[in-house]
Amino acid sequence: MRLLVLDKKGIAIALSCIMIAIIAVGIITSTGLKAVSTVTEQKELPIYSVGTDKKQVSISFDAAWGDEQTHTLLDILKEHNVKSTFFLVGDWVDKYPDDVKDIYDAGHDIGNHSDTHPHMTEMSTEEQKNQIKACNEKIKEITGKEPKLFRAPYGDYNNTVVQSVKSLNMYCVQWDIDSLDWKDPSPSEMVNRIVPNLQNGSIILMHNGAKNTPEALPMIIEAVKEEGYEFVPLSKLVCKNCKVNYKTDVTGRVIKE
C-alpha cells in the first residue's frame, strides 16, 4: 500500500482546491437551484388524445371567422349520424348567435376557443382567464350551458395556459391528427392524412371555413367508420375518461387511471 505524502506546497494546492469546490457548491445552492428546477420542471401538456380500450375517436371543428359552411357541415354530420365538437371564438359567437344555437340544438359539443383568438402565451394569467371566461359567458347566454372544453388559438400554449384552463375546471384539448384543411389539400389528401394515423381516442382537427372541408367530410367519416371506429363528441371521449387534473404521457395522451 502506497501512501501519498504531500509537502507544504502540495497541501496548499489541495486546500485551495477544496475551498474552490466549497465556494462553487455554495454558489449553486444559493443561486443555481432555480436554474436546476427550471430545467427539470415538468411541462404541462394539454390533451392530444385519450387512452381508451374503445375504438372511439372525435372530430372537431374550430370556428373563428366566417360561417358560410357551418350549416353544410351540420347537414353532413346529421346525414351520417355523427356528433362532433365545435370550438367557438367569442367574436364568432357575437356575429353568429343563431349558428351557435343550431350547433347546440343539433347535439354537438360546443367548446371554448378564446374570446378574441389571441396568442395566449403572450398574456398574463389574469388575461388568459379573462379570455376564457368571456367566451364561456357568451356561449352560456345562448345555450344555457357553460363549456368544459378549451382549445388554445393557433394551438399555442405553455404551462401557464394549461394551468389557467385547469383552474377554471375545464379541459385543455389539442389534437393528434391534423387534417390541414386550412391549407386547402384535396379531399383524398385529407383522408390519407387522417386514416393511417387513427388510434383509439384520437382527436381530429378540422375547421368550419376551409375550402374543401365540406367535400372531404363525408369521405373522412366513411373511411374512419370502415376502420371500425365510432365517432363520439369530445365530452364523451375526454370528460368521461379523465379528471380535470389528468395525467398524460410525453405525447399528450391521457393515461388511464
Side-chain angles (χ1 to χ4, degrees):
M1 180 176 178
R2 298 178 60 187
L3 297 176
L4 180 62
V5 179
L6 297 178
D7 55 18
K8 291 182 179 180
K9 183 177 179 181
I11 292 172
I13 292 172
L15 289 174
S16 297
C17 291
I18 293 170
M19 288 300 297
I20 291 171
I22 291 172
I23 292 170
V25 170
I27 291 172
I28 291 173
T29 302
S30 62
T31 65
L33 268 181
K34 184 176 181 180
V36 171
S37 65
T38 300
V39 172
T40 59
E41 183 181 4
Q42 183 175 353
K43 183 174 176 60
E44 292 270 3
L45 290 176
I47 297 170
Y48 281 83
S49 64
V50 177
T52 175
D53 297 330
K54 297 180 180 180
K55 293 200 73 171
Q56 294 180 331
V57 298
S58 287
I59 191 164
S60 60
F61 300 89
D62 288 358
W65 292 281
D67 78 326
E68 294 81 4
Q69 298 177 355
T70 304
H71 283 89
T72 301
L73 298 176
L74 289 176
D75 289 342
I76 294 170
L77 293 168
K78 181 178 180 180
E79 179 183 350
H80 291 270
N81 194 29
V82 170
K83 300 300 182 186
S84 64
T85 303
F86 285 77
F87 285 94
L88 309 182
V89 171
D91 285 347
W92 194 91
V93 175
D94 289 335
K95 292 178 182 177
Y96 311 110
D98 291 340
D99 288 353
V100 178
K101 190 172 188 309
D102 289 342
I103 292 169
Y104 180 76
D105 287 346
H108 302 287
D109 283 346
I110 293 183
N112 182 320
H113 198 33
S114 81
D115 194 40
T116 62
H117 208 266
H119 283 280
M120 293 184 65
T121 56
E122 300 173 4
M123 294 181 158
S124 68
T125 298
E126 182 180 2
E127 290 171 329
Q128 291 169 1
K129 291 181 181 180
N130 287 340
Q131 277 282 326
I132 299 168
K133 289 189 286 188
C135 183
N136 272 357
E137 290 169 4
K138 292 176 181 180
I139 293 171
K140 185 177 180 180
E141 186 176 345
I142 296 171
T143 66
K145 187 175 181 180
E146 194 168 276
K148 296 289 291 182
L149 303 164
F150 173 81
R151 175 171 285 162
Y154 312 103
D156 182 24
Y157 70 89
N158 56 17
N159 281 13
T160 307
V161 172
V162 178
Q163 289 163 359
S164 292
V165 176
K166 288 183 176 181
S167 73
L168 296 173
N169 200 34
M170 297 174 69
Y171 299 89
C172 192
V173 181
Q174 294 278 90
W175 59 86
D176 65 324
I177 302 178
D178 190 348
S179 68
L180 293 180
D181 55 353
W182 57 276
K183 289 188 174 182
D184 297 336
S186 69
S188 60
E189 287 174 331
M190 280 189 253
V191 172
N192 291 334
R193 279 192 58 81
I194 292 171
V195 174
N197 293 304
L198 288 169
Q199 61 176 331
N200 291 4
S202 278
I203 300 171
I204 302 166
L205 171 65
M206 303 191 79
H207 297 80
N208 78 319
K211 177 183 175 182
N212 295 322
T213 298
E215 184 181 350
L217 184 56
M219 298 169 58
I220 292 168
I221 292 172
E222 291 169 5
V224 170
K225 286 184 175 180
E226 285 177 2
E227 295 295 317
Y229 290 95
E230 173 193 9
F231 285 100
V232 296
L234 277 169
S235 60
K236 185 173 182 180
L237 182 66
V238 171
C239 303
K240 291 189 177 180
N241 283 279
C242 69
K243 303 173 183 176
V244 171
N245 292 316
Y246 53 82
K247 296 179 181 178
T248 65
D249 63 18
V250 294
T251 68
R253 185 169 177 82
V254 172
I255 300 169
K256 292 183 65 177
E257 297 184 13

